[in-house]
Amino acid sequence: YVGCTVRTADKRMSEHFQTSENLSKLKIAMQRHGSNNFKKNVLEAIVASTKEELVEKVFDRERYWIAQRDSYMEGYNCTPGNR
């Protein structure tokens, strides 16, 4: 799974596990295997001078990393990026 956040990685991953909105591939896997069995790594840190620039850069890099790791077709991402 590749995702972006402005919060900590731990906070974002815990939100995936706690949300009851839908059963994403990631949530199902976390329930099956336990959230403690998933490693969290920061792939890239983004710096920008405005919030708008930050959002644009972060979403661009999220799409890049999902494609690079093939995590849409072969992983836990439900979209090729940005929801």
Side-chain angles (χ1 to χ4, degrees), residues 3-79:
C4 61
T5 186
V6 294
R7 297 177 297 282
T8 66
D10 286 334
K11 175 71 174 159
R12 184 66 187 111
M13 288 299 286
S14 72
E15 290 170 352
H16 276 293
F17 194 66
Q18 293 171 3
T19 186
S20 60
E21 293 172 358
N22 61 23
L23 293 178
S24 69
K25 293 189 282 185
L26 178 61
K27 182 176 181 178
I28 292 167
M30 290 172 75
Q31 288 174 332
R32 181 177 296 141
H33 304 293
S35 61
N36 59 326
N37 288 308
F38 286 77
K39 294 180 182 177
K40 297 170 264 310
N41 298 309
V42 176
L43 297 174
E44 190 171 0
I46 306 295
V47 177
S49 46
T50 67
K51 183 178 179 179
E52 293 78 18
E53 180 187 12
L54 178 64
V55 169
E56 184 179 327
K57 285 182 173 183
V58 166
F59 283 169
D60 179 61
R61 298 310 289 170
E62 180 188 39
R63 287 188 302 271
Y64 167 82
W65 283 110
I66 290 171
Q68 186 74 16
R69 299 213 168 193
D70 198 21
S71 63
Y72 174 52
M73 298 303 291
E74 298 295 329
Y76 294 122
N77 282 92
C78 293
T79 71

